[in-house]
Amino acid sequence: MSLSTATTPKVTIETPLGPIIVELYPQQAPLTVANFLQYCQQGLFANSSFFRIVNEHNAQQAEDANASIQVIQGGLAPGDKRLLPPIAHESTEQTGLLHEDGVISMARFEPGTADGSFFFCIGEQPALNFAGKRYADGLGFAAFGRIISGRQVLEAIYHLAEDEEYLKDEISIISIYQI
């Protein structure tokens, strides 16, 4: 998925472990990228965190092994007072962006409920694509960019996984800003 162009927006996610730089794909996922950038521009991600790490050891056992995932979730947790209204769902079928290693995507419950929580894929995650098995609706999640620098920071965060998905000691997101 080499989509980088001179006009591709990029953001830096500042953490105590170092920066993560992500390029976003507004041509493929315009609603999702606009939503993410709005959170950045309004400073709403400042003092948020990476609060959930799902891996093969701590994930709730899915009835279907094809529904298992490995992700790092961050941003604003459900119920945070800073959350903006949710956006329409842009599926991978619409965008052509798949949940490959290093892809950033929006977390959601039902379709059309994505707001200020996002996640990074660790390895390929086909269960999160359109027709994937993660949710019974089969609509998948809205991928909208990929990490281009700071992979070692993402790996360091991933290796802090605990026995439970939700971290007792969340990893601070100092800020996320467009570069």
Side-chain angles (χ1 to χ4, degrees), residues 88-163:
H89 182 63
E90 291 178 305
S91 74
T92 58
E93 180 183 51
Q94 295 169 297
T95 66
L97 302 173
L98 300 179
H99 288 88
E100 299 171 342
D101 186 48
V103 161
I104 187 171
S105 187
M106 293 304 295
R108 70 167 178 94
F109 294 109
E110 300 296 324
T113 62
D115 45 37
S117 182
F118 58 88
F119 61 87
F120 285 99
C121 295
I122 304 300
E124 292 198 26
Q125 303 301 318
L128 301 173
N129 294 330
F130 183 83
K133 306 269 189 212
R134 186 63 182 178
Y135 280 171
D137 61 36
L139 296 176
F141 293 76
F144 64 99
R146 111 170 6 260
I147 187 172
I148 57 171
S149 178
R151 178 60 191 226
Q152 73 282 3
V153 175
L154 199 63
E155 289 291 329
I157 293 169
Y158 184 71
H159 290 300
L160 294 173
E162 300 170 348
D163 292 337

Side-chain angles (χ1 to χ4, degrees), residues 14-32:
E14 292 287 347
T15 78
L17 301 174
I20 300 168
I21 300 175
V22 178
E23 67 180 1
L24 307 177
Y25 304 132
Q27 302 290 5
Q28 291 77 16
L31 296 174
T32 308

Side-chain angles (χ1 to χ4, degrees), residues 9-96:
K10 294 173 182 60
V11 297
T12 298
I13 302 170
E14 292 287 347
T15 78
L17 301 174
I20 300 168
I21 300 175
V22 178
E23 67 180 1
L24 307 177
Y25 304 132
Q27 302 290 5
Q28 291 77 16
L31 296 174
T32 308
V33 169
N35 176 67
F36 188 80
L37 289 175
Q38 184 176 11
Y39 277 91
C40 294
Q41 291 159 356
Q42 292 184 20
L44 299 174
F45 286 131
N47 302 310
S48 62
S49 66
F50 288 105
F51 55 86
R52 181 175 178 236
I53 300 172
V54 182
N55 65 24
E56 67 276 4
H57 302 294
N58 68 9
Q60 297 171 346
Q61 295 298 328
E63 288 181 26
D64 184 342
N66 294 323
S68 295
I69 60 171
Q70 294 184 53
V71 300
I72 300 170
Q73 186 174 349
L76 301 177
D80 192 295
K81 294 184 185 330
R82 297 173 286 177
L83 289 171
L84 300 174
I87 59 170
H89 182 63
E90 291 178 305
S91 74
T92 58
E93 180 183 51
Q94 295 169 297
T95 66

